[in-house]
């Protein structure tokens, strides 16, 4: 599956003399985290108020409602995606998975209820990301696009150029739509 990567393994704290490599992160993640917290807090408050109003709130039910709100938060919290030259990382609540984007072997598109891009590198690491993250974060897309071109030039990317073209077309459509919207030509 994936491997757990620490900051020192990615070169961030390895005592490099050069400047730190640029990091691109999902600019909407903090807002989505706030939304997950808000929904969980609202659910917990509503459940407490309903139970207290009915006179049935006790320690056991309070713990049950708190656990339910925590479960809702865990389900709604999106993974945090970040890219830097040669590396794409996806950090969930407990674990971080990374792939070397400059040595990708395959990129697959998984259709279903929620679309996913599955990236695998030469070291056997695997990451799943929502393509919408790349669509709404142009810096992340440019970094991934540059690194996948490196993979193609090195000959490591054996499967996935179609998935990349599909995503590039989607990003181009979204960009054109945004330009037309901002300029009032929509």
């Amino acid at each position: 599956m994936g491997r757990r990567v620490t900051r020192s393994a990615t070169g961030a704290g390895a005592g490099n003399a050069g400047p730190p490599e640029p990091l691109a992160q999902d600019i909407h993640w903090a807002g989505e985290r706030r939304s997950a917290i808000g929904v969980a807090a609202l659910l917990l408050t509503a459940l407490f108020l309903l139970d207290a109003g009915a006179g049935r709130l006790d320690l056991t039910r309070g713990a049950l409602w708190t656990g339910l709100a925590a479960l809702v938060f865990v389900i709604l919290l999106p993974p945090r995606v970040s890219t830097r030259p040669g590396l794409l990382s996806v950090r969930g609540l407990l674990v971080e998975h990374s792939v070397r984007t400059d040595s990708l072997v395959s990129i697959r598109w998984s259709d279903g209820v929620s679309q996913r891009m599955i990236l695998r590198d030469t070291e056997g690491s695997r990451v799943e990301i929502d393509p919408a993250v790349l669509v709404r974060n142009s810096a992340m897309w440019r970094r991934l696009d540059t690194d996948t071109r490196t993979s193609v030039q090195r000959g490591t990317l054996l499967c996935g150029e179609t998935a990349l073209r599909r995503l590039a077309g989607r990003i181009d459509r979204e960009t054109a739509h945004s330009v037309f919207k901002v300029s009032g030509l929509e």
Side-chain angles (χ1 to χ4, degrees):
M1 293 210 187
R3 63 174 189 247
R4 183 161 170 75
V5 176
T6 60
R7 293 179 74 59
S8 61
T10 60
N16 297 350
E21 297 177 338
L23 176 71
Q25 295 181 344
D26 184 0
I27 58 175
H28 298 282
W29 182 81
E32 291 176 355
R33 180 186 61 191
R34 278 191 302 274
S35 294
I37 291 169
V39 168
L42 185 63
L43 175 66
L44 181 63
T45 303
L47 290 171
F48 273 11
L49 288 175
L50 286 172
D51 242 13
R56 302 181 70 187
L57 184 62
D58 60 8
L59 186 60
T60 305
R61 291 177 72 92
L64 178 68
W65 299 145
T66 303
L68 182 62
L71 179 64
V72 167
F73 170 72
V74 168
I75 291 170
L76 293 179
L77 182 68
R80 188 169 196 167
V81 180
S82 61
T83 60
R84 64 176 36 149
L87 188 70
L88 183 136
S89 299
V90 177
R91 184 174 47 173
L93 193 60
L94 300 175
V95 69
E96 179 177 1
H97 298 281
S98 298
V99 290
R100 296 291 312 174
T101 52
D102 55 359
S103 60
L104 289 172
V105 173
S106 71
I107 301 172
R108 290 186 303 130
W109 195 276
S110 173
D111 287 325
V113 175
S114 67
Q115 293 181 337
R116 295 280 181 224
M117 279 185 67
I118 303 163
L119 296 90
R120 291 184 186 270
D121 66 11
T122 56
E123 297 173 4
S125 298
R126 176 180 178 266
V127 164
E128 286 187 33
I129 62 168
D130 183 356
V133 171
L134 297 172
V135 170
R136 65 182 183 225
N137 293 285
S138 61
M140 291 177 68
W141 164 245
R142 285 191 305 271
R143 170 72 359 221
L144 180 65
D145 186 43
T146 301
D147 288 345
T148 54
R149 290 175 196 264
T150 303
S151 293
V152 170
Q153 289 172 350
R154 290 180 179 170
T156 60
L157 186 61
L158 305 173
C159 172
E161 290 185 61
T162 304
L164 283 175
R165 282 193 299 268
R166 185 175 173 183
L167 181 60
R170 181 176 171 189
I171 290 171
D172 290 344
R173 282 191 302 278
E174 291 288 330
T175 302
H177 179 65
S178 297
V179 168
F180 287 142
K181 188 175 182 178
V182 168
S183 61
L185 298 174
E186 185 179 37

